């Protein structure tokens, strides 16, 4: 069983539509794929309708949080997408991305970069708008060669000249809300040091005590030493460990199934979740 629990679509900053994502996941030989767009469930209906035979879709989201001044991403799986309190929190984060992106565009224009909000809006095409869309605009304008080259202190990296913070939720509150909506939480790429400061081990222990279910260990932004350290921490704190690609289509270099999650851990995630069921493609397995 090949299980990839962290992927983005055009509902946020990926480049595959939700239907293309599930088709590409099946073509890549995956048995299970999770749709985890930033701060939105908008891609669900299209993905659910397109799950191919032999693939199972896990619905989820990646929620933007902040703890002690450090940004962190909380993966949430199999929650009820209509539960009103969690829905309100997601909308709060997602909607604030628009004025924030507009402010980043203004900042860039002050730096004599001729980017426009209309251009960024076209690139985002209705998805949760974020820095990768602005980065794509900078690539189009020939300001930087690749999306990744826009994530430097010169441009859009955390604390960079054109970076503006977005609304980010309290992770303790998010864990509570996701649980109340029947979902399971996994802290995404907790050791991704190149993105900025990372959350401390004692903070992860506190999140575990507050009901966090797991941490993402096998991820492109973690080196071997970081994975070993995170695995030990997970054992001590009773956390599940996952592995995922964090696929963003052509906006990032990682490929579907680059890292995967152990089937037993996937089984445990599905057992804990009560808000939604994995969606098997017609005639496919049920998800365990
Ligand atoms: P935002 O949510 O708007 O703050 O943008 C953060 C997103 O930017 C992350 O979810 C990643 O998809 C993307 N990102 C962060 N760092 C990089 C990087 N070095 N190269 C490419 N994409 C990145
Ligand atoms: Fe992203
Ligand atoms: Fe993330
Ligand atoms: Zn992600």
């Amino acid at each position: 069983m090949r299980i990839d629990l962290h992927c983005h679509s055009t509902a946020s900053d990926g480049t595959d539509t939700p239907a293309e994502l599930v088709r590409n996941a099946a073509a890549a030989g995956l048995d299970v794929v999770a749709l985890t767009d930033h701060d939105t469930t908008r891609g669900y209906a299209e993905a659910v309708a397109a799950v191919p035979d032999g693939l199972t879709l896990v619905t989820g989201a990646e929620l933007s949080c902040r703890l002690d001044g450090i940004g962190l991403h909380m993966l949430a799986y199999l929650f009820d997408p209509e539960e009103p309190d969690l829905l309100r929190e997601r909308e709060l984060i997602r909607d604030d991305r628009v004025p924030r992106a507009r402010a980043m565009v203004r900042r860039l224009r002050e730096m004599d970069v001729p980017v426009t909000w209309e251009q960024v809006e076209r690139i985002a095409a209705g998805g949760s708008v974020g820095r990768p869309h602005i980065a794509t605009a900078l690539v189009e304008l020939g300001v930087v060669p690749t999306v990744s080259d826009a994530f430097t202190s010169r441009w859009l990296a955390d604390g960079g000249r054109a970076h503006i913070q977005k609304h980010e939720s309290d992770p303790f509150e998010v864990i509570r809300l996701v649980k109340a909506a029947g979902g399971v939480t996994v802290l995404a790429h907790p050791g991704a040091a190149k993105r900025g400061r990372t959350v401390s081990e004692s903070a992860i222990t506190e999140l575990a005590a507050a009901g966090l279910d797991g941490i993402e260990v096998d991820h492109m932004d973690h080196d071997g030493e970081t994975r070993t350290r995170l695995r030990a921490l997970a054992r001590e704190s009773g956390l599940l460990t996952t592995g995922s690609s964090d696929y963003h289509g052509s906006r990032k270099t990682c490929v579907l199934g680059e890292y995967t999650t152990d089937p037993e851990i996937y089984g445990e995630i599905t057992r804990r979740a009560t808000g939604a069921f994995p969606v098997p493609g017609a005639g496919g397995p049920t998800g365990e």
Side-chain angles (χ1 to χ4, degrees), residues 8 13 38-39 62 64 73 97 100 104 129-132 147-149 151 163 166 194-195 246 248 251-252:
H8 297 267
D13 56 7
H38 295 287
D39 311 313
E62 185 177 19
S64 309
H73 290 174
R97 285 172 163 278
R100 177 253 198 170
M104 286 195 281
V129 64
R131 284 180 280 172
V147 165
S148 179
D149 289 300
F151 283 86
H163 174 235
K166 58 185 180 283
K194 72 170 189 195
R195 298 192 191 196
D246 204 352
H248 279 70
R251 231 174 235 122
K252 275 194 179 177

Short mmCIF file of all heavy atoms in Angstrom, two decimals, residues 8 13 38-39 62 64 73 97 100 104 129-132 147-149 151 163 166 194-195 246 248 251-252, ligand 1:
data_model
loop_
_atom_site.label_atom_id
_atom_site.label_comp_id
_atom_site.label_asym_id
_atom_site.label_seq_id
_atom_site.Cartn_x
_atom_site.Cartn_y
_atom_site.Cartn_z
N HIS A 8 -1.56 19.24 -2.44
CA HIS A 8 -2.30 20.48 -2.72
C HIS A 8 -2.84 20.48 -4.15
O HIS A 8 -2.24 19.90 -5.05
CB HIS A 8 -1.38 21.69 -2.52
CG HIS A 8 -0.91 21.82 -1.10
ND1 HIS A 8 -1.57 22.60 -0.19
CD2 HIS A 8 0.12 21.24 -0.44
CE1 HIS A 8 -0.95 22.50 0.98
NE2 HIS A 8 0.08 21.68 0.86
N ASP A 13 -2.56 26.34 -3.37
CA ASP A 13 -1.40 26.73 -4.17
C ASP A 13 -0.77 25.60 -4.97
O ASP A 13 0.38 25.68 -5.38
CB ASP A 13 -0.36 27.45 -3.30
CG ASP A 13 0.07 26.60 -2.11
OD1 ASP A 13 -0.33 25.43 -2.02
OD2 ASP A 13 0.81 27.13 -1.26
N HIS A 38 -4.49 24.46 1.62
CA HIS A 38 -4.31 25.44 2.69
C HIS A 38 -5.65 26.09 3.03
O HIS A 38 -6.25 26.78 2.21
CB HIS A 38 -3.34 26.54 2.26
CG HIS A 38 -1.93 26.06 2.01
ND1 HIS A 38 -1.08 25.71 3.02
CD2 HIS A 38 -1.24 25.89 0.87
CE1 HIS A 38 0.08 25.34 2.51
NE2 HIS A 38 0.02 25.44 1.20
N ASP A 39 -6.11 25.86 4.26
CA ASP A 39 -7.22 26.61 4.86
C ASP A 39 -8.53 26.51 4.09
O ASP A 39 -9.38 27.40 4.22
CB ASP A 39 -6.83 28.11 5.02
CG ASP A 39 -5.47 28.25 5.69
OD1 ASP A 39 -5.27 27.58 6.71
OD2 ASP A 39 -4.62 29.02 5.19
N GLU A 62 -4.81 21.81 5.35
CA GLU A 62 -3.60 22.22 6.08
C GLU A 62 -3.87 23.62 6.63
O GLU A 62 -4.00 24.57 5.86
CB GLU A 62 -2.38 22.21 5.15
CG GLU A 62 -1.07 22.50 5.87
CD GLU A 62 0.16 22.42 4.95
OE1 GLU A 62 0.00 22.50 3.71
OE2 GLU A 62 1.28 22.32 5.48
N SER A 64 -3.28 27.06 8.75
CA SER A 64 -2.18 27.96 9.11
C SER A 64 -2.31 28.38 10.57
O SER A 64 -3.33 28.96 10.96
CB SER A 64 -2.20 29.20 8.23
OG SER A 64 -2.27 28.85 6.86
N HIS A 73 2.03 24.64 10.44
CA HIS A 73 0.95 24.14 9.58
C HIS A 73 0.37 22.88 10.19
O HIS A 73 1.10 21.93 10.45
CB HIS A 73 1.49 23.84 8.18
CG HIS A 73 1.87 25.06 7.41
ND1 HIS A 73 2.49 25.02 6.18
CD2 HIS A 73 1.69 26.38 7.69
CE1 HIS A 73 2.68 26.26 5.73
NE2 HIS A 73 2.22 27.10 6.64
N ARG A 97 -6.35 35.99 3.65
CA ARG A 97 -5.27 35.87 2.68
C ARG A 97 -5.40 36.89 1.55
O ARG A 97 -4.40 37.27 0.94
CB ARG A 97 -5.27 34.44 2.08
CG ARG A 97 -4.72 33.39 3.02
CD ARG A 97 -4.93 32.00 2.45
NE ARG A 97 -4.09 31.01 3.11
CZ ARG A 97 -2.83 30.78 2.82
NH1 ARG A 97 -2.22 31.45 1.86
NH2 ARG A 97 -2.16 29.86 3.48
N ARG A 100 -4.14 40.43 2.62
CA ARG A 100 -2.70 40.23 2.86
C ARG A 100 -1.93 40.12 1.54
O ARG A 100 -0.88 40.74 1.36
CB ARG A 100 -2.55 38.98 3.72
CG ARG A 100 -1.14 38.54 4.01
CD ARG A 100 -0.79 37.31 3.22
NE ARG A 100 0.36 36.62 3.77
CZ ARG A 100 0.73 35.42 3.36
NH1 ARG A 100 0.02 34.77 2.45
NH2 ARG A 100 1.81 34.87 3.84
N MET A 104 0.94 42.59 -0.07
CA MET A 104 2.27 42.16 -0.56
C MET A 104 2.50 42.68 -1.98
O MET A 104 3.61 43.07 -2.32
CB MET A 104 2.40 40.63 -0.48
CG MET A 104 2.58 40.14 0.96
SD MET A 104 3.16 38.44 1.09
CE MET A 104 1.64 37.57 0.82
N VAL A 129 -5.44 32.23 -1.78
CA VAL A 129 -4.31 32.93 -2.39
C VAL A 129 -3.14 33.01 -1.41
O VAL A 129 -3.32 33.24 -0.21
CB VAL A 129 -4.74 34.32 -2.91
CG1 VAL A 129 -5.18 35.24 -1.78
CG2 VAL A 129 -3.64 34.96 -3.74
N GLY A 130 -1.93 32.78 -1.93
CA GLY A 130 -0.75 32.79 -1.06
C GLY A 130 0.51 33.20 -1.79
O GLY A 130 0.48 33.54 -2.98
N ARG A 131 1.60 33.15 -1.06
CA ARG A 131 2.88 33.57 -1.63
C ARG A 131 3.28 32.80 -2.89
O ARG A 131 3.87 33.40 -3.79
CB ARG A 131 3.97 33.44 -0.55
CG ARG A 131 3.91 34.57 0.46
CD ARG A 131 5.00 34.43 1.51
NE ARG A 131 4.65 33.47 2.54
CZ ARG A 131 5.48 33.04 3.48
NH1 ARG A 131 6.73 33.48 3.49
NH2 ARG A 131 5.08 32.19 4.39
N PRO A 132 2.96 31.49 -3.00
CA PRO A 132 3.35 30.80 -4.24
C PRO A 132 2.71 31.42 -5.50
O PRO A 132 3.31 31.40 -6.57
CB PRO A 132 2.85 29.37 -4.01
CG PRO A 132 2.89 29.22 -2.52
CD PRO A 132 2.44 30.55 -2.00
N VAL A 147 9.81 29.68 -8.77
CA VAL A 147 8.99 30.00 -7.59
C VAL A 147 9.84 29.98 -6.33
O VAL A 147 9.78 30.88 -5.49
CB VAL A 147 7.82 28.99 -7.49
CG1 VAL A 147 7.17 29.04 -6.12
CG2 VAL A 147 6.78 29.27 -8.58
N SER A 148 10.65 28.94 -6.22
CA SER A 148 11.48 28.77 -5.03
C SER A 148 12.44 29.96 -4.85
O SER A 148 12.73 30.36 -3.71
CB SER A 148 12.20 27.45 -5.19
OG SER A 148 13.01 27.22 -4.15
N ASP A 149 12.91 30.55 -5.95
CA ASP A 149 13.83 31.69 -5.85
C ASP A 149 13.15 32.94 -5.32
O ASP A 149 13.83 33.92 -4.96
CB ASP A 149 14.45 31.99 -7.22
CG ASP A 149 15.43 30.91 -7.63
OD1 ASP A 149 16.40 30.71 -6.89
OD2 ASP A 149 15.21 30.25 -8.67
N PHE A 151 11.36 32.79 -2.61
CA PHE A 151 11.32 32.61 -1.16
C PHE A 151 12.69 32.90 -0.54
O PHE A 151 13.33 32.03 0.04
CB PHE A 151 10.82 31.19 -0.81
CG PHE A 151 9.33 31.07 -0.97
CD1 PHE A 151 8.77 30.76 -2.20
CD2 PHE A 151 8.48 31.28 0.11
CE1 PHE A 151 7.40 30.67 -2.35
CE2 PHE A 151 7.11 31.19 -0.04
CZ PHE A 151 6.56 30.89 -1.27
N HIS A 163 7.32 40.36 2.47
CA HIS A 163 6.47 39.40 3.21
C HIS A 163 5.57 40.12 4.21
O HIS A 163 6.03 40.98 4.95
CB HIS A 163 7.34 38.38 3.95
CG HIS A 163 6.54 37.47 4.84
ND1 HIS A 163 6.80 37.32 6.17
CD2 HIS A 163 5.46 36.69 4.58
CE1 HIS A 163 5.93 36.47 6.70
NE2 HIS A 163 5.11 36.07 5.76
N LYS A 166 -0.02 36.59 7.56
CA LYS A 166 -1.46 36.40 7.38
C LYS A 166 -2.06 36.07 8.74
O LYS A 166 -1.32 35.81 9.69
CB LYS A 166 -1.73 35.28 6.38
CG LYS A 166 -1.11 33.94 6.77
CD LYS A 166 -1.32 32.91 5.68
CE LYS A 166 -0.72 31.56 6.05
NZ LYS A 166 0.73 31.44 5.94
N LYS A 194 14.57 25.39 6.96
CA LYS A 194 14.89 26.38 5.91
C LYS A 194 13.73 27.36 5.67
O LYS A 194 13.91 28.39 5.05
CB LYS A 194 15.29 25.67 4.62
CG LYS A 194 14.16 25.00 3.90
CD LYS A 194 14.58 24.54 2.50
CE LYS A 194 13.35 24.09 1.75
NZ LYS A 194 13.62 23.32 0.57
N ARG A 195 12.54 27.04 6.20
CA ARG A 195 11.41 27.97 6.05
C ARG A 195 11.40 29.04 7.15
O ARG A 195 10.57 29.92 7.15
CB ARG A 195 10.08 27.22 6.14
CG ARG A 195 9.90 26.20 5.06
CD ARG A 195 8.47 25.75 5.06
NE ARG A 195 8.28 24.59 4.22
CZ ARG A 195 7.11 24.18 3.80
NH1 ARG A 195 6.03 24.83 4.14
NH2 ARG A 195 7.01 23.12 3.04
N ASP A 246 3.87 16.41 0.16
CA ASP A 246 3.57 17.85 0.13
C ASP A 246 3.57 18.33 -1.33
O ASP A 246 4.09 19.40 -1.66
CB ASP A 246 4.56 18.65 0.98
CG ASP A 246 4.03 19.98 1.47
OD1 ASP A 246 2.93 20.38 1.04
OD2 ASP A 246 4.73 20.63 2.25
N HIS A 248 2.76 19.88 -4.81
CA HIS A 248 2.14 21.14 -5.24
C HIS A 248 2.07 21.21 -6.77
O HIS A 248 2.07 22.31 -7.33
CB HIS A 248 2.94 22.34 -4.74
CG HIS A 248 2.69 22.74 -3.30
ND1 HIS A 248 3.10 21.98 -2.23
CD2 HIS A 248 2.09 23.84 -2.76
CE1 HIS A 248 2.77 22.60 -1.09
NE2 HIS A 248 2.15 23.72 -1.39
N ARG A 251 4.45 23.62 -9.07
CA ARG A 251 4.95 24.76 -8.29
C ARG A 251 6.07 24.37 -7.33
O ARG A 251 6.72 25.21 -6.75
CB ARG A 251 3.82 25.45 -7.54
CG ARG A 251 3.82 26.93 -7.82
CD ARG A 251 2.66 27.69 -7.23
NE ARG A 251 1.98 28.42 -8.27
CZ ARG A 251 0.71 28.29 -8.59
NH1 ARG A 251 -0.04 27.44 -7.93
NH2 ARG A 251 0.21 29.00 -9.55
N LYS A 252 6.26 23.08 -7.13
CA LYS A 252 7.37 22.60 -6.31
C LYS A 252 7.96 21.39 -7.01
O LYS A 252 7.31 20.77 -7.84
CB LYS A 252 6.88 22.20 -4.91
CG LYS A 252 6.79 23.36 -3.94
CD LYS A 252 6.64 22.83 -2.54
CE LYS A 252 6.56 23.97 -1.54
NZ LYS A 252 6.35 23.43 -0.19
P1 LIG B 1 1.61 31.40 2.46
O1 LIG B 1 0.67 30.33 2.92
O2 LIG B 1 0.99 32.34 1.53
O3 LIG B 1 2.33 32.06 3.60
O4 LIG B 1 2.73 30.66 1.61
C1 LIG B 1 3.39 29.53 2.15
C2 LIG B 1 3.54 28.47 1.07
O5 LIG B 1 4.64 28.80 0.25
C3 LIG B 1 3.86 27.07 1.60
O6 LIG B 1 2.70 26.36 1.85
C4 LIG B 1 4.60 26.45 0.45
O7 LIG B 1 3.66 25.92 -0.46
C5 LIG B 1 5.26 27.62 -0.25
N1 LIG B 1 6.71 27.69 0.03
C6 LIG B 1 7.32 28.00 1.19
N2 LIG B 1 8.67 28.00 1.04
C7 LIG B 1 8.90 27.68 -0.26
C8 LIG B 1 10.08 27.51 -1.06
N3 LIG B 1 11.30 27.68 -0.54
N4 LIG B 1 9.93 27.18 -2.35
C9 LIG B 1 8.70 27.01 -2.88
N5 LIG B 1 7.56 27.15 -2.20
C10 LIG B 1 7.66 27.48 -0.90
#
